[in-house]
Structure formats: C-alpha cells, structure tokens
C-alpha cells in the first residue's frame, strides 16, 4: 500500500519516470521484481519507525563493472527529514568501499531540489 501511495503522489510523478495511472498490480509487480536476485541491480527498502519511507537502488553499468547509477524515491510522509540523505551515504559507501566501484552516477531533473540535496551532501554535483 505504501509503495502504491508513493507512486500516486504528484511530486513523485513529477520528478520520476513512474508511469501515470499507476495501479496496485504495477506496485505488486515492482515489489516481486525486487525479490528476484540480480547481479545488475541492488535495491533496498528504507524503513523508519516501522514504516516504509522509500526505496534506493544501485544499477551496475553493463559496460563497466566498476560503475553504476544511483536511484531513489522517498515516500511523501518522510520528505524533508534527512532519511534519503542518510540512505544515500550508506548505499554510496557500500558501492565504493565494499564493492570497489570507482564511480557512482546520479541524474536528476533540474529543479528537483529535494533529491539534489540528498546527493549534494555526499559530494555529487547539483544539476544546472
């Protein structure tokens, strides 16, 4: 329910590639896909006070095993609380330290200051 709620949020739809008209079936399919192990994608659910607060993932670049993309989305109830900033630090640290990646890339839409702040605090450039 929380994933569906997040995906129906207007701000989430504004700044992500989540399809318009998102349905419960789509949310269930998304969650089922996360349960399947993949060498290309690692995803984590973020929990705060026993509630779903968002999702963060790393996607390995197919041409370079030492690099990948960072993606994340915060549930509306947890925005502005530093939850994603903390998660970004943990996940980027894992990629660079534990996995030996040389590069973690993040892309965002210009004007998406909520997401930009979460990565900027960890040394990523702000999109201009």
């Amino acid at each position: 329910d929380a994933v569906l709620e997040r995906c129906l949020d207007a701000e989430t739809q504004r700044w992500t590639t989540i399809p318009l008209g998102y349905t419960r079936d789509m949310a269930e399919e998304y969650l089922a896909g996360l349960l399947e192990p993949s060498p290309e994608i690692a995803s984590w659910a973020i929990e705060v006070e026993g509630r779903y607060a968002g999702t963060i993932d790393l996607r390995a670049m197919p041409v370079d095993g030492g690099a990948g993309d960072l993606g994340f989305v915060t549930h509306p109830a947890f925005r502005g609380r530093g939850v994603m900033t903390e998660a970004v630090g943990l996940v980027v640290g894992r990629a660079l330290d534990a996995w030996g990646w040389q590069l973690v890339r993040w892309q965002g839409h210009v004007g998406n200051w909520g997401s930009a702040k979460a990565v900027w605090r960890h040394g990523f450039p702000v999109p201009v």
Side-chain angles (χ1 to χ4, degrees), residues 19-83:
L20 298 176
Y22 203 83
T23 66
R24 178 171 301 284
D25 287 343
M26 294 165 90
E28 289 174 1
E29 184 178 319
Y30 166 76
L31 290 170
L34 294 179
L35 297 175
E36 297 176 22
S38 168
E40 293 88 26
I41 302 172
S43 296
W44 294 268
I46 301 164
E47 181 181 301
V48 175
E49 301 165 357
R51 295 177 53 207
Y52 170 79
T55 305
I56 188 166
D57 60 45
L58 290 169
R59 297 173 183 266
M61 291 182 191
V63 296
D64 185 350
D69 290 307
L70 172 70
F72 54 86
V73 61
T74 307
H75 187 282
F78 293 91
R79 291 185 187 134
R81 296 172 53 178
V83 170

Side-chain angles (χ1 to χ4, degrees), residues 58-112:
L58 290 169
R59 297 173 183 266
M61 291 182 191
V63 296
D64 185 350
D69 290 307
L70 172 70
F72 54 86
V73 61
T74 307
H75 187 282
F78 293 91
R79 291 185 187 134
R81 296 172 53 178
V83 170
M84 196 53 71
T85 298
E86 184 177 349
V88 166
L90 292 170
V91 169
V92 170
R94 175 174 289 252
L96 298 175
D97 298 334
W99 296 353
W101 283 15
Q102 301 299 307
L103 172 72
V104 177
R105 182 176 67 175
W106 172 80
Q107 296 179 21
H109 295 285
V110 173
N112 184 354

